[in-house]
Amino acid sequence: MSRVGVLALGPAGVGKSTFCNSIIHHMQTIGRRAHIVNLDPAADPTEYEFTIDIRDLISLQDVMEEMDLGPNGGLVYCFEYLLENLDWLDDQIGDYNDEYLIFDCPGQIELYTHVPVLPTIVRHLKNQLNFNLCATYLLEAPFIIDNSKFFSGALSAMSAMILLELPHINILSKIDLVKNDFNKKKLKQFLNPDPLLLAQEDETFNPKFSKLNKLIANLVDDFGMVQFLPLDCSKDSTSVSTILSYIDDVTQWSEAQEPKEPNDEFEIDDNEVDVQN
């Protein structure tokens, strides 16, 4: 069985930890096993405990106190320290050779847009530890339904897709917070958006930036890969199982499973076979 890893990415507060917990819960209900690998040195576990926790190696609080750094500088220091001690990560993951690992990543997107920390870790997981990886990038639905903010989110998602060079699934989280009927109807056009149409529809854009906005819309449209799956973490939602099916497809999880032994009820008893000469 091959190793499968899922990276939960996105800005701070978009619900990455909730998403990780929802995936774990759903997989347990269908008889599959998974573990959360916490790569956020400032995070505390919520519903499910971390199986592997970067804070066992280094924590943001300790770095800020001992190095007199702020949150962002301290976070960069933590990951630079992790890169110098990747053997620690190897040892931790080594105990879970055939398990499904979900990597809960920090919300500071500069770790893969400005400082190539996560791309380095991704290459290590792929090349040294033989992982089939998938990146999930979360953006908040209440944020995205503002046309101008959509382009901001789309550009950040595109940046992650290009720099990480992984199969990539964009997710709209917190769709349950989109309350009124008008916004619910509007939300549908952002699941498979037409950037050129969205740029034309928005009358709030400053005319001074119309040329820049058109270029951005053309860039997103030409890229052609900015689509979103809805995520609703309520108990009766099927969105988590749908997202997991997409993840399984791009990581080829099903193809890597070992064939199961046939059930006893389907086995043939040699004594019952009538052989005719």
Side-chain angles (χ1 to χ4, degrees), residues 33-52:
R33 296 187 62 186
H35 302 274
I36 297 178
V37 179
N38 175 45
L39 291 183
D40 186 350
D44 291 316
T46 51
E47 184 177 353
Y48 293 94
E49 292 291 327
F50 302 140
T51 301
I52 300 172

Side-chain angles (χ1 to χ4, degrees), residues 3 24 28 38 47 61 92-93 98-99 109 115 128 134 143 148 155 158-159 165-166 189 203 209 216 235 259 275:
R3 291 171 150 184
I24 292 285
Q28 288 184 351
N38 175 45
E47 184 177 353
Q61 186 64 36
Q92 296 292 311
I93 292 177
D98 295 330
E99 302 289 348
I109 61 175
V115 184
Q128 303 301 320
C134 169
F143 174 87
S148 60
L155 289 175
M158 287 169 55
S159 177
E165 298 180 330
L166 289 176
Q189 68 180 319
E203 299 177 354
F209 302 112
I216 292 175
K235 292 183 179 180
V275 180

Side-chain angles (χ1 to χ4, degrees), residues 99-214:
E99 302 289 348
Y100 202 106
L101 300 183
I102 303 173
F103 295 84
D104 192 1
C105 301
Q108 282 73 10
I109 61 175
E110 59 265 28
L111 291 173
Y112 43 91
T113 57
H114 295 77
V115 184
V117 172
L118 278 180
T120 302
I121 294 175
V122 163
R123 288 193 296 271
H124 181 78
L125 292 172
K126 289 173 60 179
N127 300 331
Q128 303 301 320
L129 301 183
N130 300 316
F131 267 90
N132 286 336
L133 295 174
C134 169
T136 57
Y137 194 89
L138 280 71
L139 291 169
E140 293 182 68
F143 174 87
I144 282 293
I145 59 175
D146 182 309
N147 288 17
S148 60
K149 294 178 180 178
F150 161 78
F151 286 105
S152 172
L155 289 175
S156 68
M158 287 169 55
S159 177
M161 295 170 78
I162 293 170
L163 291 174
L164 294 178
E165 298 180 330
L166 289 176
H168 191 103
I169 298 173
N170 293 314
I171 297 171
L172 281 188
S173 63
K174 303 182 181 181
I175 62 171
D176 54 305
L177 297 183
V178 179
K179 298 295 185 182
N180 65 64
D181 293 336
F182 174 79
N183 284 338
K184 286 181 179 179
K185 184 177 180 180
K186 186 178 180 181
L187 179 62
K188 295 180 180 179
Q189 68 180 319
F190 290 95
L191 298 178
N192 190 8
D194 183 338
L196 299 179
L197 181 61
L198 292 175
Q200 293 173 0
E201 288 180 348
D202 199 321
E203 299 177 354
T204 64
F205 288 149
N206 190 326
K208 183 169 63 174
F209 302 112
S210 59
K211 186 176 181 180
L212 175 61
N213 294 333
K214 184 177 180 180

Side-chain angles (χ1 to χ4, degrees), residues 176-267:
D176 54 305
L177 297 183
V178 179
K179 298 295 185 182
N180 65 64
D181 293 336
F182 174 79
N183 284 338
K184 286 181 179 179
K185 184 177 180 180
K186 186 178 180 181
L187 179 62
K188 295 180 180 179
Q189 68 180 319
F190 290 95
L191 298 178
N192 190 8
D194 183 338
L196 299 179
L197 181 61
L198 292 175
Q200 293 173 0
E201 288 180 348
D202 199 321
E203 299 177 354
T204 64
F205 288 149
N206 190 326
K208 183 169 63 174
F209 302 112
S210 59
K211 186 176 181 180
L212 175 61
N213 294 333
K214 184 177 180 180
L215 289 172
I216 292 175
N218 280 321
L219 175 64
V220 176
D221 185 60
D222 290 342
F223 194 70
M225 296 180 66
V226 182
Q227 302 174 5
F228 294 90
L229 295 176
L231 172 63
D232 182 355
C233 293
S234 59
K235 292 183 179 180
D236 58 346
S237 173
T238 61
S239 63
V240 175
S241 61
T242 300
I243 292 171
L244 182 59
S245 70
Y246 275 79
I247 294 172
D248 287 344
D249 285 343
V250 299
T251 58
Q252 299 179 330
W253 179 83
S254 297
E255 297 178 13
Q257 302 308 296
E258 296 179 357
K260 295 182 178 180
E261 294 293 331
N263 294 330
D264 292 340
E265 60 186 282
F266 296 110
E267 293 180 350

